[in-house]
Amino acid sequence: MDAAEFRRRGKEMVDLIADYLENIEQRPVYPDVEPGYLRSLIPEEAPEEPDTYEDVVKDIERVIMPGVTHWHSPYFYAYFPTANSFPAMLADMLSGAIGCIGFSWAASPACTELETVMMDWLGKMLKLPEDFIAGTHGQGGGVIQGTASEATLVALLAARSRAVRMILASDPQRPETGITSKLVAYSSDQAHCSVERAGMIAGVRMKKIPTEQSDKYAVQGETLRRMIQEDKAAGLIPFYFCATLGTTPSCAFDHITELGPICNAEKIWMHIDAAYAGSSFICPEFRPLLNGIEFADSFNFNPHKWLLVNFDCSTMWVRKRSDLIGAFKMDPLYLKHDHQDSVCSTNPNPLIPLCLTLSPPLPQTTSQHWQIPLGRRFRSLKMWFVFRMYGLKGLQDYIRKHVELAKEFESLVRADQRFEISADVVLGLVCFRLKGSNEVNETLLKRINNGRKIHLVPCQLSGQFVLRFAVCARTTESRHIREAWRLITQLAEEVMQELPH
Ligand code: PLP
């Protein structure tokens, strides 16, 4: 394909994408295929001779679409949203075309610098404390990670490294393995499974802190304090706590104003996972949910969930970048560049020993020490396009609309005596169930999903099987919510006639 054909095909592809998204609600939201469906539809080997572009495009409907779950259908209410907007898609095309690997400033200066500035823009939209903003005299800053799971792991590894360094500073003779075997991390029993997994990957104990329905599934300070004391008495070393703002099952919020001071006093790294809810903090009315951020060592959320920036874009800030970079710094000769020191000498990056001065603050000159992979895409272009083309106001309107739609669904549920709401509706997630047995609710969900008109997933809350209704697509309107509810009540009627409840 040469540039002339690319121009033509590119325009056709944009039309195909626009058609797909404009007509998406006519497709069954959930695919009707069995595992392995695709293998039989395409050859066992890559073609020896090139296929034509027409052949490839024809196969999109034949091979791909039958197996697509349409996350951007207004009838998709499962999991949490994944973002999708036209400005972000256009920026992604440009990012693909530039195709740089931005591991250091020299590897593509615009990639490193735009990311630093976008992270500051977003940090300011969230009213983060200055400590987290790179373009200030604080010692922190932000970086784009691929996913919230990576951010949790990176924070955990940095916390582990900081804990070991602190202990060795006071007891240099102590063997490092003896320290790591005693480390203990904490998270809520409502935390995302990626937190527990981070503990497994890092090879540290991860304890789940029990929560109660009566406390709205939030971790209580007293419970954390007690567990820390018990573990210290048993010779363990508490070093990391992952708080969640907006848990996956029910969108519960840990009390970080209460938990943060405990962590700070105990020198425990507090990471905040706000993967879904974080986007809402750009609205002043939801910003109080982030109060207590000043106690955190790191904070992460996914603009790729709810801020119209297509996957992947998971934004992470640290209060003290030396804690992060100190954990992952490697400087092989082939990654060094001329501006490493000169930028540092005016940009006091306290992580790099050559930096001597403290003003004025400048962009990071490298991202390679902030993450696990070396390579990184030019993801900040998506943020730049979206932030400029929606403006803060447009983004706030978008969040508010989803919350209003969730409230509308909540009212429909509350108005029907057969159903109950299972957790407070704070943002765009409604947890609800038929009053009755788990079996009745499981059957209802199965019927809903088998119909393929709408798609929901369940969760467990206090031993109860609960249906989660998350407002997800950019194009969801009130009529979709009402239609979804009509379908749910129709199926509920059937299920209740068939099963004792
Ligand atoms: N944390 C929370 C609270 C989540 O809800 C999710 C996913 O929904 C994750 C982490 C994982 O996000 P990611 O896929 O970006 O790793």
Side-chain angles (χ1 to χ4, degrees):
M1 187 180 286
D2 58 15
E5 190 185 356
F6 176 71
R7 275 177 213 282
R8 191 157 53 87
R9 299 306 190 187
K11 284 165 193 154
E12 287 170 15
M13 181 52 79
V14 168
D15 279 340
L16 188 150
I17 292 168
D19 286 345
Y20 167 66
L21 290 172
E22 272 185 348
N23 299 308
I24 198 167
E25 64 183 88
Q26 281 145 35
R27 295 177 185 263
V29 64
Y30 192 67
D32 188 8
V33 290
E34 294 299 321
Y37 90 95
L38 190 143
R39 186 174 279 279
S40 63
L41 297 178
I42 59 174
E44 284 292 328
E45 318 256 330
E48 193 74 30
E49 299 294 328
D51 283 344
T52 65
Y53 183 74
E54 283 85 352
D55 286 340
V56 178
V57 167
K58 247 189 271 155
D59 280 351
I60 296 173
E61 278 304 326
R62 187 182 69 86
V63 179
I64 303 300
M65 285 301 169
V68 170
T69 302
H70 299 286
W71 281 66
H72 303 291
S73 162
Y75 295 115
F76 183 92
Y77 303 108
Y79 314 106
F80 275 138
T82 189
N84 182 294
S85 73
F86 293 118
M89 280 185 263
L90 291 173
D92 225 359
M93 278 174 72
L94 180 60
S95 166
I98 293 172
C100 62
I101 307 290
F103 48 76
S104 71
W105 182 87
S108 200
C111 181
T112 299
E113 295 202 12
L114 187 67
E115 179 164 334
T116 311
V117 181
M118 285 306 101
M119 291 301 295
D120 280 4
W121 277 18
L122 185 54
K124 288 175 191 171
M125 287 188 218
L126 296 162
K127 306 245 180 306
L128 292 185
E130 266 212 352
D131 285 352
F132 291 91
I133 308 292
T136 66
H137 296 292
Q139 295 178 22
V143 67
I144 305 176
Q145 304 283 356
T147 61
S149 313
E150 276 171 74
T152 301
L153 175 62
V154 164
L156 180 70
L157 295 173
R160 187 183 69 179
S161 157
R162 185 179 80 174
V164 170
R165 267 185 283 128
M166 279 188 325
I167 292 164
L168 285 179
S170 60
D171 184 2
Q173 305 309 322
R174 194 165 168 176
E176 198 172 317
T177 46
I179 301 171
T180 46
S181 66
K182 298 280 179 204
L183 292 175
V184 56
Y186 306 92
S187 71
S188 162
D189 62 1
Q190 301 293 307
H192 191 262
C193 59
S194 53
V195 182
E196 188 175 354
R197 197 148 172 265
M200 288 163 77
I201 296 170
V204 293
R205 253 186 220 91
M206 175 74 70
K207 290 199 173 177
K208 288 188 185 175
I209 306 171
T211 58
E212 300 290 338
Q213 186 172 22
S214 54
D215 298 324
K216 304 186 177 192
Y217 300 108
V219 169
Q220 301 299 295
E222 220 18 73
T223 319
L224 175 64
R225 204 191 309 270
R226 195 187 61 242
M227 287 176 75
I228 293 170
Q229 294 317 328
E230 284 171 7
D231 284 339
K232 280 168 64 175
L236 297 179
I237 308 167
F239 79 106
Y240 178 83
F241 168 59
C242 178
T244 310
L245 296 181
T247 59
T248 317
S250 67
C251 203
F253 291 81
D254 289 337
H255 297 149
I256 51 173
T257 44
E258 191 184 318
L259 300 161
I262 300 173
C263 292
N264 288 184
E266 297 286 347
K267 297 193 170 48
I268 291 173
W269 181 298
M270 182 165 82
H271 175 68
I272 298 175
D273 171 10
Y276 162 69
S279 298
S280 73
F281 305 152
I282 64 166
C283 298
E285 67 273 33
F286 300 123
R287 176 57 178 77
L289 294 165
L290 187 60
N291 287 353
I293 175 69
E294 61 277 15
F295 301 112
D297 293 282
S298 52
F299 165 63
N300 165 252
F301 83 98
N302 288 348
H304 72 230
K305 275 192 161 50
W306 202 14
L307 210 58
L308 293 160
V309 181
N310 287 45
F311 190 84
D312 56 344
C313 181
S314 185
T315 44
M316 177 186 191
W317 289 265
V318 284
R319 182 156 46 146
K320 205 166 162 203
R321 45 188 187 256
S322 57
D323 285 339
L324 197 61
I325 300 171
F328 305 125
K329 193 163 185 290
M330 303 284 277
D331 259 335
L333 185 59
Y334 50 84
L335 297 179
K336 289 191 190 301
H337 55 87
D338 288 350
H339 294 282
Q340 206 150 272
D341 300 340
S342 62
V343 175
C344 267
S345 63
T346 50
N347 171 20
N349 185 333
L351 313 174
I352 301 175
L354 286 172
C355 302
L356 297 172
T357 59
L358 274 176
S359 68
L362 276 177
Q364 291 139 214
T365 57
T366 180
S367 313
Q368 81 216 27
H369 311 309
W370 291 67
Q371 57 170 15
I372 295 167
L374 176 68
R376 52 200 350 265
R377 299 175 66 232
F378 200 162
R379 290 178 287 210
S380 55
L381 276 175
K382 291 184 287 195
M383 296 168 79
W384 196 44
F385 275 43
V386 168
F387 295 167
R388 294 182 66 187
M389 296 189 66
Y390 279 87
L392 175 57
K393 210 173 152 308
L395 296 171
Q396 289 171 334
D397 289 347
Y398 179 65
I399 297 286
R400 287 176 182 138
K401 182 174 170 191
H402 273 202
V403 178
E404 273 168 30
L405 290 170
K407 295 278 180 196
E408 182 179 347
F409 185 80
E410 181 192 10
S411 314
L412 293 168
V413 178
R414 285 199 190 277
D416 190 323
Q417 292 304 307
R418 296 167 300 175
F419 286 87
E420 62 192 358
I421 292 288
S422 307
D424 280 4
V425 179
V426 182
L427 299 173
L429 175 70
V430 184
C431 290
F432 72 107
R433 67 194 303 279
L434 272 169
K435 290 173 186 163
S437 67
N438 283 348
E439 191 196 355
V440 166
N441 282 284
E442 279 174 48
T443 310
L444 172 60
L445 183 67
K446 219 173 261 168
R447 294 274 167 94
I448 290 171
N449 286 332
N450 285 348
R452 300 178 204 287
K453 175 74 184 167
I454 61 173
H455 187 43
L456 276 71
V457 292
C459 69
Q460 268 241 329
L461 291 174
S462 305
Q464 289 195 319
F465 187 92
V466 169
L467 283 70
R468 289 171 80 268
F469 184 95
V471 178
C472 287
R474 178 173 49 80
T475 52
T476 307
E477 298 290 344
S478 173
R479 70 180 169 88
H480 300 112
I481 301 290
R482 282 180 277 120
E483 206 174 321
W485 179 242
R486 238 189 334 269
L487 196 80
I488 293 168
T489 46
Q490 243 170 39
L491 293 171
E493 192 76 51
E494 284 175 27
V495 171
M496 288 171 80
Q497 276 171 15
E498 288 166 29
L499 289 178
H501 48 278

